[in-house]
């Protein structure tokens, strides 16, 4: 099967991940508030919960202002969630690991009532996803396997099947990030903000520095930072001033081609290990995931009127 034929799989998987988030994250946030746990610890768990450092975090998230991480580390240190080490890293405390596990399980508890698919079908989804997960871990580099190796996993074989599916899909999400960053990083090096700027302009989500500072505020950069980054993309020929909209920018042919090259290489890295599954198994996986997606939407609506735990 050609790489292009696989594109529908990740699109579907990401849609399922979003459904899982909509079901679980309100309860994760509630549990964090009730237990006085910084919600950032949950977010950072996808970057690993053994050690914290700016260098490590930028291996999966080179797009956020490093100062954002440094300020968070300082707060966590004061509260005893992490402890400084001599090498500019922090050791994550057992207290922090247990706290994150507790609030993630609070979210997963909302999935435990999912009974809209036969158990045998859910077991088969778990089986097929586990084969992909194992193949990812065993695949030769590239991509560099940092995210999939370091993210904090909570579910295990004793967890409900639907929770195991959520965990394996998050593993695949991590490997997707590994694949994308291995493909893109040679183009932007340590300047993740420059790649972010190209993406925002190419997608039309933000076409000038003011819009970027407003719409990508979670990145922690100021408008002046984006002005510098935009100028850098202009100088390397990725974007140019838009002829029909004063103050706006648009991608050049070179910028569009580089993004297309990176997306093609991302898919090549990401789907290469999928040869572990036969064509019949791939078809079955897509069918089962499609059913799961539809049933999750109904399940979400069904429980939406139930009070949070």
């Amino acid at each position: 099967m050609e790489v292009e034929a696989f594109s529908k799989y990740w699109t579907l998987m990401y849609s399922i991940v979003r459904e899982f988030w909509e079901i679980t994250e309100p309860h994760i946030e509630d549990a964090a508030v009730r237990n006085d746990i910084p919600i950032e610890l949950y977010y950072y768990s996808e970057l690993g919960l053994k050690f914290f450092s700016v260098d490590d975090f930028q291996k999966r998230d080179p797009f956020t202002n490093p100062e954002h991480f440094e300020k968070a580390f300082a707060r966590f240190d004061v509260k005893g969630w992490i402890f400084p080490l001599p090498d500019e890293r922090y050791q994550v405390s057992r207290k922090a690991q247990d706290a994150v596990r507790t609030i993630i399980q609070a979210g997963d508890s909302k999935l435990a009532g999912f009974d809209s698919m036969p158990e045998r079908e859910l077991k088969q989804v778990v089986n097929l996803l586990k084969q992909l997960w194992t193949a990812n871990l065993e695949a030769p580099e590239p991509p560099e396997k940092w995210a999939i190796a370091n993210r904090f996993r909570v579910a295990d074989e004793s967890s409900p099947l639907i929770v195991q599916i959520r965990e394996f899909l998050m593993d695949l999400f991590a490997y997707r990030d590994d694949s994308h960053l291995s493909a893109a990083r040679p183009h932007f090096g340590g300047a993740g903000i420059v790649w972010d700027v190209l993406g925002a302009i190419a997608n039309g989500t933000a076409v000038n520095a003011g819009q970027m500072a407003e719409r990508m505020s979670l990145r922690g950069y100021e408008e002046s930072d984006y002005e510098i980054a935009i100028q850098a993309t202009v100088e390397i020929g990725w974007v140019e001033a838009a002829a029909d909209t004063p103050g706006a920018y648009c991608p050049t042919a070179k910028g569009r081609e580089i993004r297309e090259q990176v997306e093609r290489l991302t898919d090549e890295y990401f789907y290469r290990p999928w040869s572990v599954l036969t064509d019949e198994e791939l078809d079955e996986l897509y069918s089962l995931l499609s059913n799961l997606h539809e049933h999750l939407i109904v399940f979400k609506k069904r429980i939406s009127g139930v009070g949070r735990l």
Side-chain angles (χ1 to χ4, degrees):
M1 188 180 292
E2 297 295 327
V3 170
E4 291 78 7
F6 283 101
S7 61
K8 65 179 183 180
Y9 286 89
W10 177 243
T11 299
L12 176 58
M13 288 176 170
Y14 183 62
S15 296
I16 294 172
V17 167
R18 289 177 63 89
E19 294 299 325
F20 280 140
W21 283 339
E22 290 188 23
I23 293 169
T24 63
E25 289 205 333
H27 304 279
I28 291 172
E29 293 165 359
D30 282 356
V33 171
R34 285 199 311 273
N35 294 282
D36 196 24
I37 298 168
I39 193 62
E40 292 93 340
L41 286 175
Y42 160 66
Y43 299 142
Y44 293 169
S45 68
E46 285 297 318
L47 306 175
L49 276 186
K50 292 182 179 179
F51 301 98
F52 281 0
S53 75
V54 171
D55 286 346
D56 279 351
F57 275 26
Q58 288 191 310
K59 289 179 179 178
R60 186 170 184 183
D61 181 8
F63 311 114
T64 296
N65 189 337
E67 294 180 1
H68 190 80
F69 297 139
E70 292 170 350
K71 292 175 181 178
F73 295 166
R75 295 197 308 272
F76 297 158
D77 184 10
V78 169
K79 295 291 186 178
W81 296 108
I82 59 177
F83 304 101
L85 297 173
D87 58 358
E88 297 187 349
R89 297 186 302 163
Y90 292 85
Q91 174 77 54
V92 181
S93 69
R94 176 62 62 86
K95 178 181 78 169
Q97 294 170 348
D98 290 343
V100 172
R101 182 179 291 105
T102 294
I103 63 175
I104 290 177
Q105 288 175 338
D108 283 344
S109 69
K110 300 303 295 183
L111 294 173
F114 180 81
D115 57 1
S116 305
M117 291 177 66
E119 181 177 347
R120 60 179 174 78
E121 293 186 358
L122 295 177
K123 283 184 176 179
Q124 182 63 349
V125 175
V126 169
N127 174 55
L128 294 171
L129 291 179
K130 186 174 183 179
Q131 288 186 63
L132 291 179
W133 174 64
T134 302
N136 290 342
L137 293 175
E138 295 176 350
E141 295 187 0
E144 179 184 2
K145 289 174 281 189
W146 192 90
I148 192 173
N150 286 278
R151 66 172 299 268
F152 184 64
R153 303 185 87 253
V154 172
D156 56 28
E157 292 183 355
S158 67
S159 303
L161 293 170
I162 190 67
V163 174
Q164 293 183 53
I165 291 170
R166 179 199 61 75
E167 195 76 86
F168 281 127
L169 287 177
M170 291 304 297
D171 288 324
L172 284 169
F173 197 166
Y175 196 68
R176 182 76 184 180
D177 279 357
D178 283 334
S179 299
H180 180 70
L181 288 172
S182 290
R185 205 182 294 271
H187 296 286
F188 67 78
I193 186 175
V194 172
W195 188 252
D196 226 11
V197 161
L198 174 61
I201 292 173
N203 292 328
T205 54
V207 295
N208 58 47
Q211 291 180 0
M212 291 173 191
E214 177 184 353
R215 297 172 188 175
M216 300 191 291
S217 59
L218 291 179
R219 299 297 198 198
Y221 284 112
E222 302 294 332
E223 183 174 345
S224 58
D225 297 314
Y226 284 115
E227 288 173 349
I228 294 171
I230 289 172
Q231 186 57 39
T233 61
V234 169
E235 291 175 359
I236 58 180
W238 288 359
V239 307
E240 61 189 358
D244 56 350
T245 308
Y249 292 84
C250 61
T252 62
K254 179 181 178 181
R256 287 192 296 270
E257 176 58 26
I258 287 175
R259 279 175 49 81
E260 291 170 1
Q261 288 176 7
V262 167
E263 288 306 312
R264 287 195 296 269
L265 191 54
T266 296
D267 284 344
E268 181 181 332
Y269 290 157
F270 181 67
Y271 291 117
R272 187 183 294 160
W274 288 43
S275 61
V276 71
L277 299 182
T278 66
D279 288 347
E280 291 75 15
E281 287 173 325
L282 287 168
D283 289 342
E284 182 182 22
L285 176 61
Y286 190 81
S287 177
L288 290 170
L289 289 176
S290 295
N291 288 338
L292 175 60
H293 184 224
E294 292 175 4
H295 287 304
L296 276 175
I297 293 172
V298 174
F299 177 72
K300 179 182 65 178
K301 292 178 180 177
R302 192 176 84 201
I303 66 173
S304 62
V306 180
R308 298 179 183 177
L309 295 180

